Amino acid sequence: MSVFQQEKLLFTPVSGDSDAVPVIFAFPNEYSIGITSLGYQIVWATLAQRSDVNVSRLFVDLHEPLPRNPELLGFSVSWELDYINIFNLLESLDISLHSCDRDNNHPLVFGGGSVLTANPEPFADFFDVILLGDGEELLDNFIAAYQEVRKCDRATKLRHLATVPGVYVPNLYRVSYYSPEREITEIAPTIPDIPDTVQKQTYRGNVLSASTVVTENAAWENIYMVEVVRSCPEMCRFCLASYLTLPFRTASLAGSLIPAIARGLEVTNRIGLLGASVTQHPEFEALLDYLSQPQYRDVRLSIASVRTNTVTKKLAATLAARDTRSITVAIESGSARLRQIVNKKLSNEEIIQAAVNAKAGGLKAIKFYGMVGIPGEEVTDVEQTVAMMEAVKQAAPGLRLTLGCSTFVPKAHTPFQWLGVNPDAKKRLKYLEKQLGKRGIDFRPESYNWSIIQALISRGDRRLAKLLKLTRTYGESVGSYKRAFKQLRGQIPDLDYYVHQDWHRDRILPWQHLQGALPKTTLVKHLDDALSYFPQSQQDNSVLDNTTLIKR
């Protein structure tokens, strides 16, 4: 039995019409990872339920029977470094990497997902069309618009699609620079009748997503995922998951969550509750009560990262009774001042109490997520994280403690998009590893070097296309990027420009023509709020004319 035959579908695919559009929908990673992506599942199921479309799935390791002459090739992109797999899949289909090299015999290559919605510019040369925002309505509008010009030539198709809200056609926008190594001077449409700014599309309904397929071959075996909330009301200043996806939306308990869970339990006993802030759903207590009923005693329940002050003994007991042994909480830092900078509204006392409640409810472990290199951070702040973890250990003896730690990476459409990566973060990761190891606390750092590459792509512009192609030929390592920058010296800005520099507020950003959830004025106000908590030593070095940011 094939992998696809082992799937349990929670929708009914329809047979395509005789003239249905042949579509390939790809996930640029292995099947086990792609099929665990709720976004990929939803888009695939949406296409598979249209009679005017024949969709086939493609992963790096396997695929369904593919059409000989596809008209549309889509990619769901949720991780920046999957671009190498996109290149490989395009070449395996005999499709040119660059959109400008494609003709009427090639399919239109479109993409969507969190990476491309945040900042598609490093990948702009490789896509004909990029869908910005939530797919619930955007996808149908895109397909409908394509049908209107299906028999036209490639250029006509792209011009027409560019008029659809949320549909971005990169090669219809010209980017100009002061010089190959300097800032952007202008981003403008190349033709009339398309918008100067493309607006990200936002779904505002109260029926959110749930799995359309369950399989033992997923990375999370046999899990049925239910989206409880979308976005996050806390608005931590660095957080793409909050700022990019605003406003905060909650699924109706009676109209969305309970019916979805009931459907999932028909095919599996493993339920995953998804969202950036699941426990802040206004009816979360009622949802817990529903799942605590005797008939669900055999259900295995997993929950995404939760807010610290919502970790109650009741929540912990419910999870423990449903075969969950640990809980994950994002705390960012043990420093109260740094939490003020990032707008993390919680205290050390609440963090400690969360661990006490987790243990009292029967959980065996708690994992905290932290960060180093937060703008405004000093060494004493990192020391306070060690002290806080020690206090948690003393307050909840026997509870297994883990601190997962990343390096701050600036993200587009957030207040910290203008701030670069602090190179001292690498040393601070080492410091935490040493100090927490002495105290018997598990420390799991994310690679500093790969965080640098993530920041490069996160703040990159179209000039990075040359570099991305080169790194692929040099091999998958951080050294490949350094080698590529050296070879392209004089043709593109250096690594420091993209990664470490603090940028002027009046600089034209690579994504300036792509409007997120909030206007620039609001992001600047939130940035100023954060800067007010910076140490005086760093504030003294700031330029007071409000056109540049602090200098490290």
Side-chain angles (χ1 to χ4, degrees), residues 215-232:
T215 174
E216 64 183 21
N217 297 301
W220 296 341
E221 183 179 341
N222 283 323
I223 195 165
Y224 177 83
M225 298 172 285
V226 182
E227 187 182 20
V228 178
V229 300
R230 190 172 297 182
S231 192
C232 176

Side-chain angles (χ1 to χ4, degrees), residues 405-449:
C405 195
S406 61
T407 297
F408 162 72
V409 171
K411 296 291 187 177
H413 305 290
T414 71
F416 285 178
Q417 64 185 354
W418 291 282
L419 301 176
V421 175
N422 186 346
D424 290 337
K426 188 172 186 177
K427 293 186 295 185
R428 292 170 186 175
L429 286 172
K430 292 289 186 183
Y431 173 83
L432 286 174
E433 184 173 34
K434 180 179 179 181
Q435 295 300 320
L436 294 177
K438 289 179 182 178
R439 293 162 172 80
I441 296 171
D442 186 23
F443 181 64
R444 298 183 185 178
E446 292 185 9
S447 165
Y448 169 81
N449 286 339

Side-chain angles (χ1 to χ4, degrees), residues 389-530:
M389 293 298 294
E390 177 66 27
V392 171
K393 183 178 180 181
Q394 296 297 324
L399 187 69
R400 189 170 72 252
L401 299 181
T402 298
L403 178 65
C405 195
S406 61
T407 297
F408 162 72
V409 171
K411 296 291 187 177
H413 305 290
T414 71
F416 285 178
Q417 64 185 354
W418 291 282
L419 301 176
V421 175
N422 186 346
D424 290 337
K426 188 172 186 177
K427 293 186 295 185
R428 292 170 186 175
L429 286 172
K430 292 289 186 183
Y431 173 83
L432 286 174
E433 184 173 34
K434 180 179 179 181
Q435 295 300 320
L436 294 177
K438 289 179 182 178
R439 293 162 172 80
I441 296 171
D442 186 23
F443 181 64
R444 298 183 185 178
E446 292 185 9
S447 165
Y448 169 81
N449 286 339
W450 284 114
S451 293
I452 292 299
I453 304 309
Q454 188 182 24
L456 168 68
I457 296 173
S458 175
R459 292 214 296 178
D461 53 42
R462 295 186 184 186
R463 290 173 289 188
L464 285 186
K466 296 178 182 178
L467 182 125
L468 297 182
K469 287 184 65 178
L470 272 180
T471 57
R472 179 193 180 210
T473 62
Y474 292 154
E476 297 182 32
S477 70
V478 175
S480 298
Y481 291 85
K482 296 178 180 178
R483 182 179 173 187
F485 268 112
K486 185 176 181 180
Q487 182 169 335
L488 294 172
R489 186 174 297 155
Q491 300 179 49
I492 65 172
D494 60 15
L495 181 72
D496 185 71
Y497 171 94
Y498 291 112
V499 174
H500 297 296
Q501 282 187 16
D502 292 335
W503 287 354
H504 292 250
R505 297 182 188 192
D506 57 355
R507 172 183 289 191
I508 296 176
L509 301 174
W511 50 89
Q512 193 103 328
H513 56 309
L514 309 174
Q515 180 59 53
L518 295 176
K520 177 183 175 181
T521 52
T522 302
L523 298 181
V524 168
K525 180 181 184 300
H526 291 181
L527 174 63
D528 285 336
D529 289 343

Side-chain angles (χ1 to χ4, degrees), residues 205-465:
N206 65 353
V207 177
L208 299 182
S209 301
S211 286
T212 60
V213 58
V214 170
T215 174
E216 64 183 21
N217 297 301
W220 296 341
E221 183 179 341
N222 283 323
I223 195 165
Y224 177 83
M225 298 172 285
V226 182
E227 187 182 20
V228 178
V229 300
R230 190 172 297 182
S231 192
C232 176
E234 296 305 312
M235 298 177 69
C236 295
R237 303 307 188 209
F238 59 85
C239 183
L240 185 67
S242 179
Y243 275 86
L244 187 66
T245 59
L246 288 169
F248 180 59
R249 287 146 288 168
T250 61
S252 165
L253 180 64
S256 179
L257 294 179
I258 289 178
I261 290 170
R263 286 195 303 273
L265 290 176
E266 293 177 3
V267 297
T268 185
N269 70 338
R270 186 176 182 189
I271 301 293
L273 303 181
L274 302 189
S277 191
V278 169
T279 52
Q280 287 182 274
H281 189 289
E283 296 179 284
F284 186 73
E285 284 288 317
L287 178 60
L288 274 188
D289 291 339
Y290 175 81
L291 291 170
S292 297
Q293 295 178 87
Q295 64 265 37
Y296 301 132
R297 64 170 57 93
D298 294 328
V299 172
R300 298 173 60 195
L301 184 63
S302 302
I303 191 169
S305 178
V306 302
R307 182 164 165 76
T308 307
N309 60 6
T310 63
V311 181
T312 61
K313 182 179 177 181
K314 177 181 178 180
L315 171 63
T318 301
L319 293 174
R322 298 295 179 270
D323 203 32
T324 294
R325 298 185 177 184
S326 66
I327 198 167
T328 302
V329 177
I331 59 169
E332 315 319 338
S333 174
S335 163
R337 184 182 64 83
L338 283 192
R339 292 198 298 269
Q340 287 177 314
I341 286 176
V342 301
N343 198 40
K344 196 78 174 181
K345 298 179 283 288
L346 57 90
S347 65
N348 279 13
E349 290 73 23
E350 289 173 315
I351 295 170
I352 293 170
Q353 190 61 49
V356 171
N357 291 346
K359 181 185 177 185
L363 294 175
K364 303 300 182 185
I366 189 167
K367 181 177 182 179
F368 295 120
Y369 276 128
M371 187 180 292
V372 294
I374 293 172
E377 180 184 84
E378 296 186 313
V379 173
T380 54
D381 297 305
V382 185
E383 294 170 348
Q384 288 175 45
T385 296
V386 175
M388 186 209 66
M389 293 298 294
E390 177 66 27
V392 171
K393 183 178 180 181
Q394 296 297 324
L399 187 69
R400 189 170 72 252
L401 299 181
T402 298
L403 178 65
C405 195
S406 61
T407 297
F408 162 72
V409 171
K411 296 291 187 177
H413 305 290
T414 71
F416 285 178
Q417 64 185 354
W418 291 282
L419 301 176
V421 175
N422 186 346
D424 290 337
K426 188 172 186 177
K427 293 186 295 185
R428 292 170 186 175
L429 286 172
K430 292 289 186 183
Y431 173 83
L432 286 174
E433 184 173 34
K434 180 179 179 181
Q435 295 300 320
L436 294 177
K438 289 179 182 178
R439 293 162 172 80
I441 296 171
D442 186 23
F443 181 64
R444 298 183 185 178
E446 292 185 9
S447 165
Y448 169 81
N449 286 339
W450 284 114
S451 293
I452 292 299
I453 304 309
Q454 188 182 24
L456 168 68
I457 296 173
S458 175
R459 292 214 296 178
D461 53 42
R462 295 186 184 186
R463 290 173 289 188
L464 285 186

Side-chain angles (χ1 to χ4, degrees), residues 70-174:
E71 295 182 31
L72 296 173
L73 167 61
F75 287 93
S76 178
V77 187
S78 55
W79 191 46
E80 290 92 342
L81 298 180
D82 274 343
Y83 73 85
I84 293 175
N85 292 329
I86 294 175
F87 292 168
N88 292 339
L89 289 173
L90 285 172
E91 290 187 342
S92 73
L93 297 169
D94 198 26
I95 298 172
S96 302
L97 294 188
H98 286 271
S99 62
C100 62
D101 294 331
R102 299 174 194 141
D103 57 31
N104 291 327
N105 296 315
H106 291 110
L108 293 185
V109 178
F110 73 93
S114 56
V115 169
L116 295 179
T117 294
N119 177 22
E121 291 306 286
F123 312 105
D125 286 0
F126 311 116
F127 286 92
D128 301 308
V129 174
I130 293 171
L131 307 183
L132 302 178
D134 296 334
E136 279 87 349
E137 296 164 358
L138 178 56
L139 183 65
D140 286 338
N141 293 341
F142 168 65
I143 296 295
Y146 177 78
Q147 291 281 20
E148 293 169 355
V149 289
R150 182 182 179 187
K151 303 303 181 183
C152 299
D153 63 81
R154 185 180 190 83
T156 301
K157 290 175 182 175
L158 293 175
R159 286 196 298 268
H160 180 67
L161 290 170
T163 65
V164 178
V167 175
Y168 173 45
V169 179
N171 70 7
L172 295 182
Y173 291 80
R174 181 185 62 255

